[in-house]
Amino acid sequence: MTSPVQHAPARRLAARLRTRRAARGRGWTARQWAALFCVLSGYVVGTLTASGTAISLPSISAELQAGPAAMQWFVTGYLLATTCLVLIAGALGDRFGRRLVLRVAACVYTAGIAISAIAPTIVLLNVARISAGVGSAGLMACGAAVLTTSFTGSDRVKAFALCGAAGGIGMAIGPSAAGWIVDAVGWRGTFGVLAAASLLMVASTFLIKETRAEKPRPFDLLGAGMLIVGLSLLLLGISTMTSGNTAVGGGQLVGAAVVLTLFIVRALRVSAPLLELSLLRDRITSAWLISAVMATAGMTGFTVYLPTYLLVVHGLNAAAAGTWMLAFTIPLFVVPMIVSRWVNRGGSAPKIAAGCLTLAATAYLTFALLATVGEVWVALIPTAALGFAIGSLTALSDAQLMSRIDHDRIGMASGLLNTMRSGATSIVLALFGAGLVVAIAARVGPQTADRLATGDVAAISESVAVDGFGHGWTLVLAGNGVLMLAAAAAFVGLILAGRRQAERAAA
């Protein structure tokens, strides 16, 4: 006869198996699927809109007889509206309802895209694009807030990982898919197709559960105005500086610094500011905010200029460069689900994130060393490692950050995350591009540098092109590596400080 003690391990194993079967059989509700579908649709449509817009610029300019200034606003207006309003949209969601703001934002976005398809003039097209940017702000802020309130625990990690995978898929096939659509139906037809797809996003909002803050706060209208002015000056200053007008751009950046400093000072003094900086008192929350921002900003310049590097230094054509970039993009949509399962099975999210920030830094520094050495395939390993690192950070960071926010401030936190993400991405991209041109110019002169940075190698000897661009690429990648190392150090330091903070609070 066996004793109860001998049966104990078997009983524990059976209990674990029953728990896993129950969890697998529980499934998600229709409201949860609707929330996930809405957010995933936003990712896909947003990616195709961005790619289709970039591909269609020459056709739009020719058909509507638009000059450079008008076309610049076509690109910049959308970004300005989105970045300046995303924090405001999150605050409105907390006060009036996250589903409500998400639905209104989806309607405004869809209307903006639809009007873009029929706009007879560049002025109306720019107004429509700015309207779509307003809608995009609400989608970004309240999309993450709705996911946070719709899912809990391991389901939340999985849902955010699916969004990360969708972003990776969009990056991998978005340009090609947008190119096919534009070739098939033209730029107006492309906006029409995307508007029709966006209607599904609008419809899904009617199934999502409504949530709002239990104790709504008064809306900080003055703070909202200061934020809009400050961020507008910041983005315009970056754009103006990169176009070569340093005097005006510098003045805009100084103005942005003054206004945003006043915004922060005011937020520390008033009772109900647009942004409660107390969110950042939790060191672990701050650590995950850094991780989430760097997951996007840290790869921006690399992904934009990598095809040009492959063209100039290694002589690859566009098709070959696109295929080569799969080494980076495939991990972006494969890794998130693997990492989410690992964390849900007991893996340490902070250790994974710290390791991946360090891996990204190592990949950049390794690629910098190999930029002009050997065959092009040598750089596939650091490129794939970077894709693995960014994919892992994308899978973890948003879910870990939002899980630490109390219910009443979820929209505010989502708005803060996306504001910092958009701002940091714009700054890093501008610095990456400017740094690349300056570093190339140090080798081959400013005129040749401007041409090489855009991939124009006509009448430039191969040795000069490879030496100049390779030198610039090495330096900017090394800078990215140092930036990611600093982010890794800050992340680890804040995690450790947060744990000590929690231990003192418990004592």
Side-chain angles (χ1 to χ4, degrees):
M1 181 180 295
T2 56
S3 70
V5 174
Q6 291 173 305
H7 281 295
R11 286 197 297 270
R12 286 195 296 270
L13 176 60
R16 285 198 296 269
L17 292 174
R18 285 195 299 271
T19 300
R20 290 181 183 177
R21 284 195 294 269
R24 285 195 297 267
R26 185 171 63 245
W28 289 348
T29 66
R31 290 183 180 276
Q32 288 176 313
W33 279 111
L36 183 62
F37 176 83
C38 182
V39 177
L40 289 178
S41 299
Y43 271 91
V44 174
V45 173
T47 300
L48 290 176
T49 301
S51 300
T53 297
I55 294 170
S56 302
L57 287 177
S59 300
I60 295 172
S61 177
E63 180 176 335
L64 300 181
Q65 297 181 346
M71 292 308 298
Q72 181 63 35
W73 269 105
F74 177 75
V75 176
T76 305
Y78 180 91
L79 178 62
L80 271 174
T82 301
T83 304
C84 293
L85 296 177
V86 66
L87 180 57
I88 296 170
L92 290 173
D94 286 340
R95 179 170 175 78
F96 297 107
R98 289 134 191 162
R99 181 187 66 181
L100 173 63
V101 174
L102 182 66
R103 182 182 302 161
V104 171
C107 291
V108 172
Y109 183 84
T110 302
I113 296 297
I115 294 172
S116 298
I118 59 174
T121 65
I122 188 61
V123 173
L124 183 57
L125 179 60
N126 283 342
V127 171
R129 282 281 294 168
I130 292 172
S131 298
V134 173
S136 177
L139 293 174
M140 290 171 64
C142 290
V146 162
L147 275 189
T148 303
T149 56
S150 298
F151 296 92
T152 59
S154 61
D155 287 337
R156 181 182 292 160
V157 174
K158 188 184 299 183
F160 274 99
L162 282 169
C163 290
I169 293 173
M171 181 174 289
I173 68 173
S176 299
W180 296 331
I181 297 173
V182 172
D183 286 341
V185 297
W187 69 268
R188 292 187 183 277
T190 300
F191 281 124
V193 170
L194 294 173
S198 298
L199 288 174
L200 297 175
M201 183 167 54
V202 175
S204 66
T205 63
F206 287 88
L207 294 176
I208 297 173
K209 179 182 177 181
E210 180 63 287
T211 62
R212 59 174 58 87
E214 295 178 1
K215 297 179 180 179
R217 299 149 40 87
F219 183 70
D220 181 11
L221 186 60
L222 178 58
M226 294 175 68
L227 182 69
I228 291 173
V229 172
L231 290 177
S232 296
L233 287 173
L234 175 64
L235 294 178
L236 289 172
I238 292 171
S239 177
T240 305
M241 290 285 285
T242 53
S243 66
N245 194 338
T246 55
V248 175
Q252 290 170 330
L253 292 177
V254 171
V258 172
V259 175
L260 291 176
T261 299
L262 292 175
F263 172 80
I264 293 172
V265 171
R266 183 177 179 277
L268 292 170
R269 294 185 176 183
V270 300
S271 58
L274 181 69
L275 171 63
E276 286 190 9
L277 295 175
S278 58
L279 284 171
L280 303 179
R281 289 176 185 165
D282 178 17
R283 301 293 185 268
I284 296 179
T285 299
S286 297
W288 284 114
L289 181 60
I290 290 173
S291 176
V293 169
M294 292 308 300
T296 302
M299 68 173 179
T300 303
F302 177 79
T303 56
V304 169
Y305 287 97
L306 178 60
T308 307
Y309 160 78
L310 295 173
L311 167 68
V312 174
V313 176
H314 292 286
L316 272 62
N317 58 32
T323 303
W324 196 93
M325 285 186 67
L326 290 175
F328 175 75
T329 55
I330 287 177
L332 289 182
F333 64 83
V334 172
V335 169
M337 295 309 301
I338 297 173
V339 172
S340 69
R341 286 178 63 86
W342 186 5
V343 171
N344 285 338
R345 290 175 179 268
S348 171
K351 289 181 180 179
I352 295 172
C356 286
L357 286 168
T358 306
L359 176 62
T362 304
Y364 275 131
L365 294 172
T366 303
F367 201 150
L369 292 174
L370 300 175
T372 58
V373 177
E375 299 295 330
V376 64
W377 63 265
V378 175
L380 284 173
I381 296 175
T383 302
L386 184 62
F388 179 91
I390 298 297
S392 300
L393 294 172
T394 302
L396 294 177
S397 301
D398 287 22
Q400 296 296 322
L401 170 64
M402 298 302 292
S403 295
R404 299 190 64 83
I405 307 300
D406 62 87
H407 181 272
D408 282 7
R409 300 190 293 179
I410 287 175
M412 180 190 296
S414 177
L416 172 63
L417 166 61
N418 285 290
T419 299
M420 292 191 64
R421 182 178 275 158
S422 297
T425 297
S426 299
I427 293 170
V428 170
L429 180 58
L431 291 176
F432 193 102
L436 181 63
V437 172
V438 170
I440 296 174
R443 282 293 180 95
V444 298
Q447 293 184 343
T448 304
D450 289 339
R451 293 175 55 195
L452 286 179
T454 60
D456 180 7
V457 294
I460 300 176
S461 70
E462 181 180 350
S463 60
V464 170
V466 171
D467 179 65
F469 199 100
H471 175 72
W473 188 249
T474 296
L475 291 183
V476 292
L477 286 195
N480 262 23
V482 172
L483 179 64
M484 296 301 286
L485 274 179
F491 178 86
V492 172
L494 286 168
I495 290 290
L496 295 177
R499 290 175 177 173
R500 291 193 295 268
Q501 189 180 49
E503 290 171 358
R504 287 194 298 268

